[in-house]
């Protein structure tokens, strides 16, 4: 009996029963009805087990007291209680097995409580981590929204910057074009300045020569030798005093030949690129440029003859000196090339091109597009007439036999063709000698295509505007008042 009582004490069955009651009381309103019933059944089973053990102790205690010991107690307390509310059968298991089951149950309850506590701590940790994760997610969302706003702002700024950059590029291109135009103007001014400097140098050299000649005449006039009579022997005196035109003839010749080559290399290409904007046919463009150059030479030669006649008429009343009137007129023209009315010649050339049946032009534009080439060609041609002998263009006609001494073939020519299809640039002659070769296009069947094009090409119906017709009918000329005595 003492061992059974000790085991019952060691298992703390009543403490376990009390703990279960308190735990049930705490969770009664939280758990479900089935769980409450299970808890109650569990407590009843545990109470029954404890009561079974107590009855075993009661039986052992009564056996130790003898046959009659404790009979009064059993009669007065146990039997009435059993008869009224309780009937207990002896358990089918042994005392040791019952105690072992109680210990297992207590151990399971302890493990369950530990697992519950551990589970609750894990739940709290997970809730804490979940809260921190939610906070991090909110911060990441806020950063993402800030990054999106910054990206939108950057896109808008980039678009604005791109537009500003395009505007700057357009402005820089416009500035570059204006700078190129200014550079061309400066180059032309520089060429004019160099030309004026060369003319001034030639004039200074001529004046120095004339000064030396006058000093020699002054010395001879002071000498006792008699003065030569002005008779038929005056020609040697004229040969001893050359004019400025004769002194600068070689340098002007080289300069004008070089300028004629520059017309082919620079002004011709500029005019060709300008005409190609309105005319797709390269052959027609080259014909327009060739006819413009030829008409410019013809007009400049006519203007030179008229200008020379006016100069001779103006100089004849007051002319005296060792040189002839012809040399004096040429010398005056060389000194005063700027008096040449080049704009009148340009107008005459454009009017002549408007009525030329060999070339055509869109009606919405004008031959004034090539006025720069015409103006420079007229100036060069006018200055070439002051040389001795003067320079002129070689006669050219479509379908003529190709002359290798006067022309070179263009890159698109048929080099085995003997006839000229059309001319690209005229040849420059000095007498019968070729100074600068021209350029021509040679193709087979040139004469046939030329005759057919003449037969089927209609006459240009381009009507002259009133301003053109007035410019064509009235030719500008230099008035004699411009030829003042100071310029002579």
């Amino acid at each position: 009996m003492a061992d059974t009582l000790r085991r019952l004490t060691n298992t703390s069955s009543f403490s376990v029963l009390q703990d279960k009651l308190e735990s049930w009381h705490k969770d009664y309103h939280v758990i479900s009805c089935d769980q409450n019933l299970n808890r109650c059944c569990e407590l009843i089973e545990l109470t029954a087990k404890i009561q079974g053990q107590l009855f075993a102790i009661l039986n052992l205690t009564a056996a130790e007291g003898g046959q009659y010991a404790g009979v009064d107690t059993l009669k007065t307390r146990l039997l009435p209680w059993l008869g009224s509310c309780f009937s207990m059968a002896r358990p089918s298991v042994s005392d040791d097995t019952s105690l072992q089951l109680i210990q297992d149950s207590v151990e399971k309850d302890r493990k369950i409580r530990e697992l519950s506590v551990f589970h609750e701590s894990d739940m709290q940790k997970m809730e804490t981590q979940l809260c921190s994760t939610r906070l991090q997610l909110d911060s990441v969302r806020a950063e993402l929204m800030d990054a999106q706003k910054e990206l939108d702002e950057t896109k808008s700024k980039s678009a604005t910057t791109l537009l500003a950059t395009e505007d700057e590029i357009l402005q820089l291109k416009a500035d570059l074009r204006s700078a190129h135009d200014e550079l061309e103007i400066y180059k032309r001014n520089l060429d004019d300045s160099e030309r004026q400097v060369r003319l001034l140098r030639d004039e200074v050299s001529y004046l120095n020569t004339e000064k030396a000649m006058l000093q020699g005449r002054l010395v001879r006039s002071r000498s006792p030798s008699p003065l030569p009579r002005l008779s038929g022997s005056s020609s040697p005196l004229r040969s001893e005093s050359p004019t400025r035109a004769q002194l600068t003839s070689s340098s002007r010749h080289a300069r004008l030949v070089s300028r004629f080559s520059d017309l082919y290399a620079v002004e011709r290409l500029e005019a060709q690129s300008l005409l190609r904007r309105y005319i797709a046919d390269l052959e027609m463009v080259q014909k327009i440029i060739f006819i413009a150059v030829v008409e410019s030479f013809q007009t400049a030669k006519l203007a030179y003859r008229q200008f020379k006649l006016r100069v001779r008429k103006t100089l004849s009343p007051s002319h005296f000196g060792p040189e002839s009137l012809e040399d004096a007129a040429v010398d005056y023209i060389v000194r005063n090339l700027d008096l040449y009315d080049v704009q009148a010649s340009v107008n005459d050339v454009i009017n002549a091109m408007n009525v030329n049946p060999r070339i055509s032009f869109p009606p919405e534009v004008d031959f004034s597009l090539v006025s720069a080439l015409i103006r420079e060609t007229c100036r060069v041609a006018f200055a070439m007439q002051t040389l001795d002998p003067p320079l002129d263009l070689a006669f050219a006609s479509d379908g003529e036999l190709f002359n290798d001494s006067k022309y070179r073939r263009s890159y698109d020519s048929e080099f085995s063709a003997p006839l000229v299809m059309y001319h690209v640039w005229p040849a420059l002659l000095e007498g019968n000698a070729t100074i600068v070769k021209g350029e021509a296009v040679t193709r087979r069947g040139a004469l046939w295509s030329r005759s057919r094009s003449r037969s089927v090409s209609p006459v240009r119906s381009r009507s002259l505007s009133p301003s053109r017709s007035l410019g064509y009918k009235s030719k500008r000329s230099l008035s004699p008042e411009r030829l003042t005595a100071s310029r002579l």
Side-chain angles (χ1 to χ4, degrees), residues 181-395:
D181 296 338
E182 292 180 359
L183 179 61
E184 294 296 331
I185 294 174
Y186 290 153
K187 285 183 178 180
R188 292 177 182 177
N189 294 335
L190 181 61
D191 294 336
D192 295 338
S193 301
E194 291 179 352
R195 185 164 50 252
Q196 292 178 2
V197 168
R198 288 194 295 267
L199 292 175
L200 290 175
R201 287 178 179 175
D202 294 340
E203 189 171 358
V204 168
S205 62
Y206 169 74
L207 291 176
N208 291 331
T209 305
E210 189 174 1
K211 178 181 177 182
M213 293 173 59
L214 291 176
Q215 288 178 354
R217 290 180 183 178
L218 181 61
V219 171
R220 287 195 300 271
S221 64
R222 291 179 180 178
S223 62
S225 59
L227 293 174
R229 291 179 296 178
L230 296 175
S231 60
S233 62
S234 60
S235 57
L237 293 177
R238 286 198 299 269
S239 62
E240 293 178 359
S241 59
T243 62
R244 182 177 183 275
Q246 295 172 350
L247 289 173
T248 61
S249 178
S250 60
S251 61
R252 288 187 295 112
H253 181 278
R255 185 173 66 251
L256 290 174
V257 171
S258 176
R259 186 70 186 96
F260 183 79
S261 300
D262 293 340
L263 288 176
Y264 172 79
V266 180
E267 279 80 357
R268 180 187 70 90
L269 296 179
E270 292 178 355
Q272 179 173 316
S273 62
L274 186 60
L275 290 175
R276 287 300 297 274
R277 300 178 185 176
Y278 305 97
I279 302 177
D281 188 7
L282 178 61
E283 178 180 346
M284 181 55 63
V285 170
Q286 292 176 344
K287 285 183 178 181
I288 290 173
I289 294 175
F290 177 78
I291 292 175
V293 174
V294 173
E295 292 290 344
S296 299
F297 260 81
Q298 298 297 330
T299 305
K301 287 164 59 178
L302 179 60
Y304 176 78
R305 288 194 293 269
Q306 294 176 354
F307 187 56
K308 187 175 179 182
L309 289 175
R310 290 193 296 271
V311 171
R312 292 183 61 182
K313 185 177 180 180
T314 304
L315 293 179
S316 59
S318 59
H319 175 69
F320 66 91
E323 70 275 359
S324 64
L325 181 60
E326 183 76 13
D327 293 339
V330 174
D331 187 67
Y332 178 82
I333 295 173
V334 171
R335 292 171 180 269
N336 301 278
L337 288 175
D338 55 338
L339 295 179
Y340 168 46
D341 191 1
V342 67
Q343 186 59 42
S345 297
V346 171
N347 295 334
D348 293 341
V349 172
I350 293 176
N351 292 330
M353 293 176 66
N354 284 327
V355 297
N356 194 319
R358 296 173 55 197
I359 55 178
S360 61
F361 210 58
E364 64 272 7
V365 292
D366 193 87
F367 282 116
S368 299
L369 290 173
V370 293
S371 59
L373 174 64
I374 295 173
R375 181 178 291 104
E376 294 301 320
T377 306
C378 288
R379 288 177 178 173
V380 172
F382 187 87
M384 284 181 176
Q385 306 310 308
T386 62
L387 300 175
D388 187 22
L391 302 181
D392 199 358
L393 300 181
F395 175 77

Side-chain angles (χ1 to χ4, degrees), residues 37 39 70 108 147 162 168 171-172 185 213 217 233 237 263 278 310 328 362 372 402 405 425 435:
L37 292 176
R39 293 265 184 107
K108 288 180 180 180
L162 181 60
E168 290 179 358
Q171 183 65 31
L172 290 174
I185 294 174
M213 293 173 59
R217 290 180 183 178
S233 62
L237 293 177
L263 288 176
Y278 305 97
R310 290 193 296 271
F402 178 76
S405 62
W425 192 255
I435 303 299

Side-chain angles (χ1 to χ4, degrees), residues 405-454:
S405 62
K406 291 183 180 180
Y407 300 99
R408 59 176 175 273
R409 302 176 193 267
S410 62
Y411 70 95
D412 55 346
S413 298
E414 295 180 4
F415 288 86
S416 60
L419 300 181
V420 175
M421 183 76 176
Y422 64 92
H423 296 80
V424 177
W425 192 255
L428 186 65
L429 301 181
E430 184 178 8
N432 294 325
T434 302
I435 303 299
V436 178
K437 281 187 177 184
E439 183 177 350
V441 177
T442 59
R443 289 174 187 166
R444 294 190 177 278
L447 185 61
W448 177 79
S449 62
R450 170 174 167 265
S451 62
R452 191 178 74 166
S453 63
R454 286 188 175 181

